[in-house]
Amino acid sequence: MISYGEAIVEINPNAGFACNEETGVVDWLEGTTPISLKEISAKRAELQAAYDAQEYARKRKAKYDALNQFE
């Protein structure tokens, strides 16, 4: 599962924050423009969908790498 922190960094790589991953509560450091929970949740869903779409490729690569060990 994509974390709140990963989503925040994707939205703003320079964001200063502390996040409780269980509750989704974010404390923003001074000088950082807060990002709405709605925007963070949307980015999490987007990143999760992209990760899930690559599941076949990850599994295939692992099998391909295992085959190459025997050469």
Side-chain angles (χ1 to χ4, degrees):
M1 182 63 142
I2 302 298
S3 71
Y4 287 95
E6 290 171 304
I8 292 169
V9 170
E10 279 289 319
I11 296 169
N12 180 0
N14 299 317
F17 65 94
C19 181
N20 181 327
E21 291 296 331
E22 291 180 17
T23 63
V25 174
V26 180
D27 293 321
W28 300 99
L29 298 180
E30 189 173 326
T32 299
T33 303
I35 302 168
S36 72
L37 185 56
K38 184 177 180 179
E39 189 176 353
I40 295 168
S41 295
K43 180 56 83 172
R44 283 181 76 201
E46 176 188 328
L47 293 172
Q48 189 65 50
Y51 179 82
D52 292 346
Q54 292 298 316
E55 181 178 14
Y56 173 79
R58 287 190 305 277
K59 287 181 178 179
R60 187 72 193 124
K61 181 176 180 341
K63 289 182 180 182
Y64 182 77
D65 290 345
L67 289 173
N68 283 336
Q69 290 179 0
F70 299 114
E71 291 181 7

